[in-house]
Amino acid sequence: GQQVMQIPQYQHVQEGEDFTTYCNSSTTLSNIQWYKQRPGGHPVFLIQLVKSGEVKKQKRLTFQFGEAKKNSSLHITATQTTDVGTYFCAGLNDYKLSFGAGTTVTVRA
Amino acid sequence: DGGITQSPKYLFRKEGQNVTLSCEQNLNHDAMYWYRQDPGQGLRLIYYSQIVNDFQKGDIAEGYSVSREKKESFPLTVTSAQKNPTAFYLCASSMGRGGTYEQYFGPGTRLTVT
């Protein structure tokens, strides 16, 4: 079955530094969505990527969809304490959305 | 104030008892979903419904049941047949078929079965 893998599982970042989290699928995806879940909260939609090679930016967050539509990345620049939480990718294949296990981000002030 | 509500926030039950988790949305969304979240495992789909009076099993439907009698409501029953029911349960809705549209999540219900 379709699997979406995310790495790393945990990311400990110094405030002000950059980091990237990666999402890989065993199958070609129709699109990919990214969600953020703050500690004790629920997932909140961030963005959706549909086209091969697509790049979208939201302030300090840059999202990419791979050329083969099998992988995606989220890059955060100048990390802030507000970036703390778990970031999930979710890939769509054959009308089924599969979530990765998430990357949990902690920030050292 | 549009959104998804789940109740209760915390639920405690004894082993062997069925329990029903509530999920209501006023977003006029056609599709609704139930996910289970365990530490380190992301979100796993239990059941989903794309229209009233219709629903499909997700990846981990065994031990769970749902109904969709109204567009606004999609209750989940955790039956005594579910071997490891203690988890965080999230309800979500979307305008259309999941993955094509963003999903809106409720605040979740944390179920503890002892």
Side-chain angles (χ1 to χ4, degrees), chain B residues 36 64 78-79 82-89 111-113:
Chain B
R36 170 181 172 139
Y64 300 97
V78 185
T79 74
Q82 168 50 233
K83 291 181 171 41
N84 298 297
T86 295
F88 187 48
Y89 290 88
L111 173 65
T112 302
V113 177

Side-chain angles (χ1 to χ4, degrees), chain B residues 4-113:
Chain B
I4 301 179
T5 56
Q6 290 185 245
S7 60
K9 189 172 184 179
Y10 298 96
L11 192 53
F12 299 88
R13 280 293 183 270
K14 292 290 186 185
E15 201 173 303
Q17 293 180 334
N18 291 355
V19 59
T20 297
L21 310 184
S22 166
C23 177
E24 303 279 331
Q25 55 101 356
N26 61 5
L27 300 167
N28 199 33
H29 284 170
D30 287 318
M32 296 187 74
Y33 315 82
W34 275 105
Y35 292 92
R36 170 181 172 139
Q37 186 172 33
D38 296 284
Q41 292 196 45
L43 305 175
R44 292 184 290 167
L45 183 64
I46 305 173
Y47 268 98
Y48 65 100
S49 167
Q50 296 184 57
I51 198 167
V52 174
N53 292 322
D54 186 48
F55 49 83
Q56 287 80 38
K57 292 182 180 179
D59 298 320
I60 55 165
E62 185 175 350
Y64 300 97
S65 66
V66 293
S67 63
R68 186 89 186 274
E69 297 176 2
K70 296 188 299 182
K71 188 175 186 177
E72 304 79 23
S73 178
F74 191 40
L76 173 74
T77 296
V78 185
T79 74
S80 56
Q82 168 50 233
K83 291 181 171 41
N84 298 297
T86 295
F88 187 48
Y89 290 88
L90 286 159
C91 178
S93 71
S94 66
M95 195 185 312
R97 196 191 291 268
T100 307
Y101 299 91
E102 67 179 275
Q103 295 192 12
Y104 293 76
F105 285 84
T109 293
R110 194 166 297 278
L111 173 65
T112 302
V113 177

Side-chain angles (χ1 to χ4, degrees), chain A residues 85-103:
Chain A
T86 300
Y87 294 83
F88 293 99
C89 64
L92 179 66
N93 176 266
D94 197 22
Y95 295 108
K96 182 180 174 184
L97 192 67
S98 296
F99 281 81
T103 294

Side-chain angles (χ1 to χ4, degrees), chain A residues 42-87:
Chain A
H42 57 275
V44 174
F45 176 82
L46 293 176
I47 210 158
Q48 177 170 282
L49 304 171
V50 179
K51 298 176 185 175
S52 168
E54 188 170 15
V55 177
K56 287 188 177 181
K57 291 189 176 184
Q58 288 181 349
K59 297 183 181 177
R60 295 178 296 102
L61 276 61
T62 301
F63 302 84
Q64 284 192 305
F65 201 8
E67 293 290 341
K69 300 184 76 173
K70 283 189 170 184
N71 55 69
S72 180
S73 65
L74 161 57
H75 181 77
I76 299 183
T77 58
T79 304
Q80 300 177 358
T81 54
T82 53
D83 296 322
V84 164
T86 300
Y87 294 83

